[in-house]
Amino acid sequence: MTPQEIVQALEGRGWAATIVSRSDVDDILDVDSEGLMKCVDGRPSSHAAMNGPKTLGGVYAIASMRGARDLEGLTQATRDVAAAGHVPSVHGDDHAQPPAMGCGYFKLWKTGKLADLAPEGGSSEGLPPGLEPPRYSAEEGSEAVRAAGGEYETLTGAHEEQEVIINLVDSTTFAPNADSQRFVVDAWVAEKFGVDPARYLTAAAKTVELLCEVRKARIIVD
Ligand code: ZN
């Protein structure tokens, strides 16, 4: 997808989107192999290594987009993320019950809310297929990721995201900012893992639409 196509797709869902050059942002970071491949969630983390790629639910992004609905597929996704040079992770938060259900993406995927990627009240005609829910619980999932060598992080506080960053600049990311929360979708990851970028970004938009009122995106280009 070109940046312009992403803008059009988002505008079609009622969003406002702008394209911004990486030279016009001052907080873009290079991804490091010590960094967690972690959720797009903008809340502060219990973990220090924030210079890894941000994806929908961390490892769950890869499993869900592959249509891997069992623990075996999640374990394989965890190993593939590590083999690709990132620290695999999933997360919960400090108030969900059970805590591992504190990942909004996992919760939506698990409860079948992403089985259709159409905007609320809109048509799914011409949109990519949705995501069938996993057959395991949040606790089973986070346990499997840890057993395969991944990390579990706890996010704190309330969602206060004001925008979505869709980052197309290969091997870069943005760290969570407690004073100015944003969802960070490092979209370059899709291609790296053989995931259809259009389907991935449609799932990202649908996730944000179901979680909050944010309908504003900045698309970062090289
Ligand atoms: Zn999450």
Side-chain angles (χ1 to χ4, degrees):
M1 276 185 113
T2 65
Q4 289 76 15
E5 285 169 340
I6 297 171
V7 169
Q8 280 168 12
L10 286 171
E11 286 177 349
R13 302 179 76 97
W15 290 52
T18 53
I19 299 171
V20 180
S21 167
R22 72 173 290 176
S23 58
D24 291 327
V25 293
D26 56 11
D27 55 347
I28 193 166
L29 303 170
D30 286 330
V31 162
D32 186 284
S33 61
E34 306 287 305
L36 293 188
M37 181 161 139
K38 65 172 255 112
C39 189
V40 301
D41 192 315
R43 293 175 292 167
S45 171
S46 61
H47 206 286
M50 293 293 103
N51 52 346
K54 313 294 178 294
T55 58
L56 295 167
V59 178
Y60 289 134
I62 308 303
S64 62
M65 297 302 296
R66 283 177 174 174
R69 302 171 63 194
D70 52 21
L71 290 171
E72 214 167 63
L74 180 60
T75 296
Q76 188 59 52
T78 305
R79 292 185 181 136
D80 291 346
V81 167
H86 308 298
V87 179
S89 79
V90 292
H91 77 94
D93 70 16
D94 58 359
H95 54 271
Q97 263 329 311
M101 269 300 240
C103 177
Y105 180 71
F106 181 83
K107 188 172 182 179
L108 293 171
W109 181 35
K110 174 69 184 168
T111 55
K113 303 286 198 303
L114 300 175
D116 180 345
L117 300 180
E120 197 63 34
S123 162
S124 54
E125 201 183 317
L127 290 180
L131 309 171
E132 294 301 319
R135 300 189 183 94
Y136 51 84
S137 70
E139 288 157 306
E140 289 167 335
S142 59
E143 200 43 57
V145 168
R146 273 185 285 207
E151 301 265 342
Y152 175 84
E153 50 161 3
T154 298
L155 304 187
T156 55
H159 280 282
E160 292 172 10
E161 288 91 349
Q162 301 298 315
E163 65 162 347
V164 180
I165 292 179
I166 296 174
N167 179 22
L168 301 178
V169 184
D170 192 38
S171 299
T172 66
T173 192
F174 292 79
N177 181 343
D179 299 323
S180 177
Q181 286 188 25
R182 63 271 176 104
F183 294 101
V184 177
V185 181
D186 289 319
W188 54 268
V189 171
E191 206 166 313
K192 182 166 182 173
F193 286 90
V195 164
D196 172 14
R199 186 169 178 234
Y200 186 61
L201 288 175
T202 307
K206 175 82 177 190
T207 298
V208 171
E209 289 164 6
L210 290 170
L211 290 178
C212 64
E213 302 296 315
V214 173
R215 301 289 183 269
K216 193 172 73 170
R218 269 191 299 159
I219 299 158
I220 314 297
V221 299
D222 221 345

